[in-house]
Every structure is written in C-alpha cells, then in structure tokens.
Amino acid sequence: QKEVEQDPGPLSVPEGAIVSLNCTYSNSAFQYFMWYRQYSRKGPELLMYTYSSGNKEDGRFTAQVDKSSKYISLFIRDSQPSDSATYLCAMSARTGNQFYFGTGTSLTVIP
Amino acid sequence: GAVVSQHPSRVICKSGTSVKIECRSLDFQATTMFWYRQFPKQSLMLMATSNEGSKATYEQGVEKDKFLINHASLTLSTLTVTSAHPEDSSFYICSARVGRTDTQYFGPGTRLTVL
C-alpha cells in the first residue's frame, strides 16, 4: 500500500465550479499536510500548509485535514481557467525529513 | 514566501558530458535541500536529501557516483549529472526546507536533454 494515494484524474470542470481534490494516507504519524500546484514544465508552488487536523482558508482555497479518517482535501471555489494545473498533496511526520507526495491530480477549468 | 532559484532552466548536452545544476535559496538559509526527478505526467521522485556541510543521503536505486550532490553553503546546493546519457533526460527540481518547518519550497526546475 502506498503511503499517499491521490486520484490522478484528469478532472475537468466549467469555470466557476467548486473543485474538490482529495488524498488519503496510511501513516498515522503524519502531522504536516501541504498542497502544491504545478503548472506544466514548472516547479511545484506551495498553496496551502496545514498542521494536524482542521480547516485552513486562503482566498478561494480551503484545505481540510481529517486525521481520524486519514483524509485531506483541497477545495477551490469559483474556479478559474488559471487554476488549470496539476495539484499535488504532500505530508510528513513530526520528525525527520521524509516527505510523501501524492501522484498529483490534473485539473482543467474550462472557460 | 521563500524563493528558490535553479540554474540553468534548460540544458541540452551530448552523451558522455557532465552537467551541473545549481539550486539557491534566495531569501532564507536552507539547512536541508532536496533533489527530485520528474518524468512527463508523473509525480516527483525524490533522488536525495542534502544537508549543509554533510554528505547527501540518496534514495534507493539512485547512483551516488552518477548524481553528485554538493551542499557547500546554507544557500547553495548543486547536482552534477556525470557522464550523462539519453536516459538521464528528465526534469530535475530542487527544493529547500524552511527552518524548522516541515514544508518545502521548490525551484522552477531544470529540463535536461541528453542527445
């Protein structure tokens, strides 16, 4: 079983839709959760960073962590064509440098 | 936010030559830097973890003698692909860990093409 599972998509939505991206994980030691956005031929860009359980909101983006279910989500409200990219989840335990990435979900927002 | 740069952004070289890629943290000191490789439409593959002033820790299956990593200062790490071959063609991305946080900031990546 992989440490982190992420549906690769592709996901295609109309402009203005609410997008839900999800990852599940198996290691209960994970404490730090991140979402990255990667445009084609570019390095990943950190979008959201969350510690432990709960919600975090930043503009149109909301990150949710449910540690009891080992499930994290990224919601994008009022999606825009510029949101078209691959979204990677990542997580790590409290100690150590080991990061675990999902495989990425490809999102296309259609104007 | 923290800014990480990479140079060059793109390099084309002949088979058998060596290529050096630089990764710099521009506005912070990075005690730990990471090197990843990414194939088209695939996720990041961690190659090695580099701590300033010490030898890099390589992931299983990554050849230490082929991918030389040096982290001589708190703002600079280099990856040298030695005797490059066409199968080394890939997108190489570095990242840096910010202080004591458990998050990484990525560079823009370097696209290596070996002819």
Side-chain angles (χ1 to χ4, degrees), chain B residues 1 3 5 9 12-13 58 60 64 68 74 77 81 84 90 93 102 105 108-109 111 115:
Chain B
V3 179
S5 71
S9 58
I12 301 173
C13 69
Y58 290 81
Q60 190 174 8
K64 301 178 183 181
L68 300 178
L74 287 171
S77 176
V81 183
S90 190
I93 311 174
D102 279 86
Y105 289 88
R111 184 159 301 281
L115 302 176

Side-chain angles (χ1 to χ4, degrees), chain B residues 49-91:
Chain B
T49 301
S50 164
N51 290 297
E52 186 266 337
S54 62
K55 290 184 179 180
T57 302
Y58 290 81
E59 295 299 301
Q60 190 174 8
V62 178
E63 298 177 59
K64 301 178 183 181
D65 295 332
K66 180 154 189 70
F67 298 100
L68 300 178
I69 292 172
N70 184 279
H71 193 164
S73 77
L74 287 171
T75 60
L76 173 65
S77 176
T78 60
L79 168 67
T80 301
V81 183
T82 62
S83 187
H85 291 283
E87 58 266 29
D88 299 325
S89 298
S90 190
F91 192 50

Side-chain angles (χ1 to χ4, degrees), chain A residues 8-25:
Chain A
L11 184 61
S12 185
V13 301
E15 183 175 355
I18 296 174
V19 177
S20 173
L21 304 168
N22 311 294
C23 287
T24 58
Y25 62 95

